[in-house]
Amino acid sequence: NVNDLIHQSELIGGNYRIGMFRVNGGYAHYTAEQGVGNSAGTRTDNSWTVSMSLLPTPENEIALGFNEMKGRHAGFNGGGNILNPFGNTTGVSTFADGSKKAIYASWMYHVDRQLDVYLAGDHFKVDGGWVIGDAQGNGNRFGAGQAFNNETEVAIGARYKF
């Protein structure tokens, strides 16, 4: 319940390990009332993901995955971007159908019990009328009506656990 509007989600997922491989998958269904007293209608999203991890040695971990989010009658926020699930949908007055697809991969090397180094990358694309902020939160409008409707990111880093 967000400002007297009902948001609901149902999710299912799991993973299965086969030797050095782990396969993961999941599905989510989401609905949200929009506008005062649901005067703007209900949003419906369906999302799924599948990924795989490979552990060839105790030090190395490789992952690859894909996810897709499809939304119908999704409301825009005041900044012109599609609202995230469970956001405040009270003031919604414009809508769009659309989707976001993403593929991602990573390699992590476990130097020791406390230190990991990694290389990660992803690529996403929006379709239909969806407009979303990029992964870094840059700009108010990204996607439909813009010169670009996709983004590719690459990161290299280290993680120290204490």
Side-chain angles (χ1 to χ4, degrees):
N1 187 328
V2 180
N3 287 340
D4 296 323
L5 296 171
I6 297 171
H7 296 245
Q8 294 180 313
S9 65
E10 297 86 28
L11 308 111
I12 186 168
N15 62 59
Y16 187 74
R17 190 166 188 141
I18 307 164
M20 70 174 117
F21 296 96
R22 185 178 69 214
V23 179
N24 313 288
Y27 171 79
H29 176 75
Y30 168 75
T31 58
E33 293 179 341
Q34 302 176 116
V36 177
N38 199 29
S39 60
T42 302
R43 170 184 177 164
T44 303
D45 289 11
N46 290 294
S47 304
W48 64 276
T49 187
V50 64
S51 63
M52 182 186 80
S53 300
L54 171 65
L55 305 165
T57 67
E59 297 85 16
N60 288 284
E61 185 175 341
I62 301 165
L64 178 65
F66 176 82
N67 66 47
E68 180 178 30
M69 297 175 272
K70 288 186 177 183
R72 191 172 52 79
H73 199 67
F76 288 87
N77 66 15
N81 296 318
I82 292 293
L83 284 163
N84 286 328
F86 298 99
N88 182 356
T89 57
T90 305
V92 167
S93 61
T94 55
F95 316 92
D97 295 344
S99 68
K100 176 184 175 188
K101 297 175 184 149
I103 188 166
Y104 51 91
S106 67
W107 167 75
M108 186 174 291
Y109 182 76
H110 306 288
V111 177
D112 57 33
R113 290 181 56 176
Q114 290 185 294
L115 180 63
D116 301 325
V117 293
Y118 61 86
L119 173 65
D122 67 72
H123 176 78
F124 78 74
K125 179 173 177 41
V126 293
D127 293 314
W130 274 26
V131 178
I132 59 173
D134 72 0
Q136 297 295 318
N138 299 317
N140 288 332
R141 297 190 63 87
F142 185 88
Q146 301 298 312
F148 302 101
N149 64 356
N150 62 77
E151 178 176 287
T152 300
E153 300 175 302
V154 176
I156 188 167
R159 176 176 68 179
Y160 183 75
K161 299 172 272 191
F162 55 92

